[in-house]
Amino acid sequence: MIIGDLHIERPVILAPMEDVTDRSFRKICKRFGADIVYTEFISAEALRRGVEKTVQKMLFEDYERPAVIQIFGNTEEAMAEAAVIAASYRPDYLDINFGCPAKKVAGKGAGAALLREPEKMARIAASVVNAVSVPVTVKTRIGWDRESINILDIVPRLEDAGIQAIAVHGRTRSEMYKGTADWDWIARVKERARIPVIANGDIWSPDDAKAMFEHTAADGIMIGRGAIGNPFIFKQVKEMLKTGVVATKVDFRDRIAVAIEHLSLSVKNKGEKYGTLEMRRHYATYLKGLPRVSRVRDKLVREDNWLHVIEILRDYEAECEQYAREGKIREYAEYLNDHSRRLILK
Ligand SMILES: Cc1cc2nc3c(=O)[nH]c(=O)nc-3n(C[C@H](O)[C@H](O)[C@H](O)COP(=O)(O)O)c2cc1C
């Protein structure tokens, strides 16, 4: 896949996720092999006003490269101005969010709302492209709803606007995150597009990743929810794509160790209070499928002292050692087998 000076063969990309893909999580995903990472989405309006929290979200470190800043907004002026500010932080490329279905974004005419205004979408894309010298890409969905799927109309408009790659989440805005992503539409986009296509939606396992490449012939793939609590997926997907088998096995020890690492990074980057607080949403996924976990989860999300959180996690790890000796551990790989796309389709 070529975007500007960037050449990466079949990249496996961490999707942008608000409140998830902060510096701490990106660092961990990078370590496990994510080829490209995206920031959380950044509001153009907030950026123009210099809102400190928004500016913080744009910061990344050199080891994260290639790193992408994603912006969203509803006017050409705001987006061009925000693009100039974002570009000054020297991302490898800038991405425009034309896919967010949330009310606070789409309800204000930004994100997925622009799927209903293809001309305006193209004008915004052109205004961003013309404002900066870094490459500009787009991430979007296949349409507003099933009755108005228009991604094939949108892609050439974006190409003409100078967009250099497009990431497609195979759902409509109305579908939010429900049902199964429609990979057929991504394949259709790939057949017609002149720019690289990044396929996104429902990659939960290495098998799914392989199937996504095969089904869509996309230039790259992007993983979102499948990486939450499971950053190991990048390593496993790379192994699968390279050799056809997954050598890396992940057990509860690995998962608890990464949860602790994640918490430590979070505290380092955001301070004790917010670092501990913001980690709360991650424990459920790190510990998913492990025995008698709900009691532990309840304790974890009530604890304010991050060192006590680590103690709780270590105690639980010792408990899991006992479960393992008794053969009671059902590992995440098995859990995923029940949830992966392959099985959903069967
Ligand atoms: C918690 C959460 C936050 C998200 N935030 C963003 C965002 O900031 N920008 C964006 O383009 N997409 C965002 N998305 C959508 C994901 O990038 C991705 O397109 C979607 O989750 C489908 O991929 P998946 O099935 O691999 O999760 C978010 C999704 C989730 C679950």
Side-chain angles (χ1 to χ4, degrees):
M1 185 178 84
I2 300 177
I3 299 174
D5 295 336
L6 210 66
H7 294 227
I8 307 180
E9 202 57 35
R10 305 220 293 171
V12 183
I13 301 169
L14 172 64
M17 286 182 284
E18 189 195 15
D19 291 336
V20 177
T21 57
D22 60 4
R23 255 194 296 174
S24 319
F25 188 62
R26 295 197 305 261
K27 179 171 190 171
I28 290 171
C29 291
K30 197 79 202 177
R31 186 158 66 72
F32 283 107
D35 289 307
I36 304 175
V37 296
Y38 282 52
T39 63
E40 303 163 74
F41 62 22
I42 311 280
S43 152
E45 286 301 341
L47 209 53
R48 280 170 112 189
R49 293 199 308 273
V51 175
E52 184 52 30
K53 210 171 158 215
T54 304
V55 173
Q56 287 292 325
K57 285 186 178 173
M58 279 196 305
L59 304 180
F60 62 87
E61 293 173 53
D62 261 340
Y63 62 72
E64 293 183 38
R65 289 188 183 280
V68 182
I69 296 177
Q70 188 193 61
I71 57 174
F72 71 91
N74 59 5
T75 67
E76 291 161 62
E77 302 74 48
M79 286 294 275
E81 205 180 303
V84 171
I85 301 169
S88 72
Y89 288 78
R90 308 199 46 248
D92 291 86
Y93 57 90
L94 266 187
D95 185 71
I96 307 177
N97 178 321
F98 286 142
C100 182
K103 278 226 170 68
K104 66 177 180 181
V105 175
K108 292 186 180 150
L114 289 151
L115 285 162
R116 293 205 285 194
E117 295 185 87
E119 281 165 19
K120 184 172 179 189
M121 181 194 271
R123 283 201 306 276
I124 289 180
S127 75
V128 171
V129 169
N130 294 331
V132 295
S133 54
V134 284
V136 180
T137 62
V138 158
K139 178 168 176 289
T140 189
R141 292 184 174 230
I142 56 178
W144 179 259
D145 57 23
R146 278 276 139 189
E147 287 66 52
S148 61
I149 292 176
N150 58 350
I151 187 69
L152 298 181
D153 166 51
I154 277 167
V155 172
R157 292 173 191 265
L158 295 176
E159 288 172 335
D160 292 345
I163 291 300
Q164 297 202 24
I166 181 156
V168 182
H169 174 192
R171 283 188 176 84
T172 63
R173 188 270 173 182
S174 302
E175 288 164 338
M176 306 295 281
Y177 296 91
K178 292 193 292 276
T180 313
D182 188 336
W183 292 3
D184 292 343
W185 275 104
I186 305 176
R188 284 180 204 125
V189 171
K190 176 57 197 165
E191 268 172 27
R192 289 169 178 77
R194 288 175 273 138
I195 53 176
V197 173
I198 298 165
N200 171 238
D202 288 345
I203 300 173
W204 298 98
S205 69
D207 283 339
D208 292 340
K210 185 165 172 271
M212 179 67 109
F213 269 120
E214 285 167 1
H215 194 91
T216 64
D219 301 274
I221 57 171
M222 181 180 259
I223 306 179
R225 291 164 300 166
I228 303 179
N230 186 28
F232 317 98
I233 194 170
F234 291 102
K235 188 151 188 255
Q236 295 178 323
V237 165
K238 301 293 265 300
E239 289 170 352
M240 170 60 91
L241 296 176
K242 206 168 165 195
T243 66
V245 286
V246 176
T248 299
K249 301 281 179 253
V250 177
D251 67 15
F252 64 89
R253 300 173 194 91
D254 305 303
R255 290 162 60 194
I256 290 174
V258 169
I260 292 173
E261 179 189 355
H262 194 165
L263 169 63
S264 311
L265 284 169
S266 187
V267 166
K268 183 175 151 218
N269 290 330
K270 295 186 176 169
E272 255 183 76
K273 185 173 171 202
Y274 291 107
T276 309
L277 214 68
E278 291 190 11
M279 267 305 286
R280 289 182 176 174
R281 64 174 68 98
H282 290 279
Y283 300 123
T285 42
Y286 277 119
L287 304 178
K288 199 178 320 198
L290 292 174
R292 305 190 61 198
V293 73
S294 57
R295 172 185 43 93
V296 181
R297 242 181 7 231
D298 289 350
K299 267 203 259 174
L300 288 169
V301 298
R302 285 209 188 90
E303 184 54 67
D304 292 327
N305 181 320
W306 71 288
L307 294 171
H308 292 169
V309 171
I310 294 179
E311 271 172 38
I312 297 170
L313 285 167
R314 290 219 191 286
D315 287 349
Y316 183 56
E317 185 181 353
E319 207 179 309
C320 284
E321 293 289 358
Q322 182 57 31
Y323 297 135
R325 279 191 292 273
E326 293 165 7
K328 288 184 188 154
I329 297 265
R330 186 168 176 269
E331 277 306 338
Y332 197 51
E334 288 172 50
Y335 174 87
L336 276 180
N337 273 340
D338 292 349
H339 288 75
S340 85
R341 180 185 173 87
R342 246 174 342 120
L343 280 132
I344 290 168
L345 290 179
K346 263 186 196 163

